[in-house]
Amino acid sequence: QTVVTQEPSLTVSPGGTVTLTCASSTGPVTSNHLPNWFQQKPGQAPRTLIYFTSNRHSWTPARFSGSLLGDKAALTLSGVQPEDEADYYCLIYSGVPGWVFGGGTKLTVL
Amino acid sequence: QVQLVQSGAEVRKPGASVKLSCKASGYTFTSYYLHWVRQAPGQGLEWLGRIDPNTGDTHDVQRFYGRVKMTRDTSTRTVDMDLSSLTSEDTALYYCVRERVGGYFDHWGQGTLVTVSS
């Protein structure tokens, strides 16, 4: 069974830059895993930020960028705003088992 | 505009079944997969499965051992998910989310709260 690992929590200062990562227990994460990134604020449904590794939706601020970093998928926030405080989840395609979410990263802006 | 509107909250006893609905509008219903995702209280997101509204083909998490059944009705532009043999561990918010084939997730439903309690 594929396990997808994210940092449980990260803290960043307003205006700073932070990178969240997404690793797979089965090996390197590649574009073939079709990584997606989601943001979820308390009491709200998740919102899709990034699809297919690095593509932003029309509603995704330009300060969010997706990439592959070494063996992981990554979400980088540049020029962090207070409203970016949220939980962030990655999702990768794992073949026969289907899609697997990471455990999520709680991002604190302090 | 694209909308996914889910059915209302449900309360069930252990051992019962529940049917959740996700009604789509604002796009060509058969051109996008619809997935089901759940979130237990205070926990992360869990992928449950997806249906192709065009063919009815489904792909779900094997560990549910057949407890999940997804169907679609193209006339009403609705996908349903039946979850049977409920336990307290099935208490969660259940979401539907759209995918353009190839890993392009975008719009989410508002969620349906399912509470399993004796």
Side-chain angles (χ1 to χ4, degrees), chain B:
Chain B
Q1 74 280 21
V2 174
Q3 279 197 303
L4 298 174
V5 179
Q6 298 185 232
S7 49
E10 303 276 7
V11 179
R12 293 288 186 273
K13 293 190 184 306
S17 298
V18 68
K19 175 180 271 192
L20 309 180
S21 295
C22 173
K23 184 172 178 60
S25 61
Y27 69 96
T28 302
F29 179 64
T30 52
S31 294
Y32 294 78
Y33 289 169
L34 280 166
H35 296 247
W36 289 95
V37 172
R38 75 179 182 182
Q39 186 171 37
Q43 302 301 308
L45 301 175
E46 178 182 20
W47 182 79
L48 302 179
R50 67 100 176 121
I51 185 166
D52 178 352
N54 186 40
T55 63
D57 176 61
T58 61
H59 182 185
D60 56 68
V61 176
Q62 290 178 339
R63 72 177 186 84
F64 277 87
Y65 303 113
R67 291 201 300 131
V68 169
K69 181 182 177 184
M70 291 174 283
T71 56
R72 96 297 192 202
D73 184 334
T74 54
S75 66
T76 60
R77 303 166 58 86
T78 300
V79 298
D80 294 330
M81 182 181 70
D82 277 277
L83 185 58
S84 59
S85 302
L86 293 167
T87 72
S88 59
E89 294 186 351
D90 294 315
T91 293
L93 260 169
Y94 288 75
Y95 295 101
C96 58
V97 54
R98 191 179 81 157
E99 180 212 353
R100 181 157 61 95
V101 178
Y104 304 81
F105 287 81
D106 52 19
H107 296 275
W108 290 70
Q110 84 277 17
T112 296
L113 179 61
V114 174
T115 303
V116 183
S117 173
S118 55

Side-chain angles (χ1 to χ4, degrees), chain A residues 36 40 48 51 57 96 99 101, chain B residues 39 59 103-106 108:
Chain A
N36 281 253
Q40 187 179 34
T48 312
Y51 63 93
H57 283 289
V96 169
W99 294 84
F101 279 99
Chain B
Q39 186 171 37
H59 182 185
Y104 304 81
F105 287 81
D106 52 19
W108 290 70

Side-chain angles (χ1 to χ4, degrees), chain A residues 31-37 50-55 66, chain B residues 102-105:
Chain A
S31 58
N32 290 333
H33 288 92
L34 310 177
N36 281 253
W37 289 91
I50 300 288
Y51 63 93
F52 195 49
T53 305
S54 58
N55 296 273
Chain B
Y104 304 81
F105 287 81

Side-chain angles (χ1 to χ4, degrees), chain A residues 91-108:
Chain A
L91 175 67
I92 63 170
Y93 182 66
S94 192
V96 169
W99 294 84
V100 184
F101 279 99
T105 296
K106 182 177 182 61
L107 182 67
T108 301

Side-chain angles (χ1 to χ4, degrees), chain A residues 26-87:
Chain A
T26 60
V29 176
T30 71
S31 58
N32 290 333
H33 288 92
L34 310 177
N36 281 253
W37 289 91
F38 307 92
Q39 177 192 63
Q40 187 179 34
K41 296 182 179 180
Q44 296 184 15
R47 180 174 75 139
T48 312
L49 294 175
I50 300 288
Y51 63 93
F52 195 49
T53 305
S54 58
N55 296 273
R56 291 185 206 93
H57 283 289
S58 58
W59 54 78
T60 305
R63 61 182 181 275
F64 291 88
S65 62
S67 64
L68 296 176
L69 204 60
D71 291 344
K72 303 177 184 180
L75 176 70
T76 299
L77 288 70
S78 305
V80 171
Q81 302 296 307
E83 61 265 28
D84 297 333
E85 184 162 294
D87 294 327

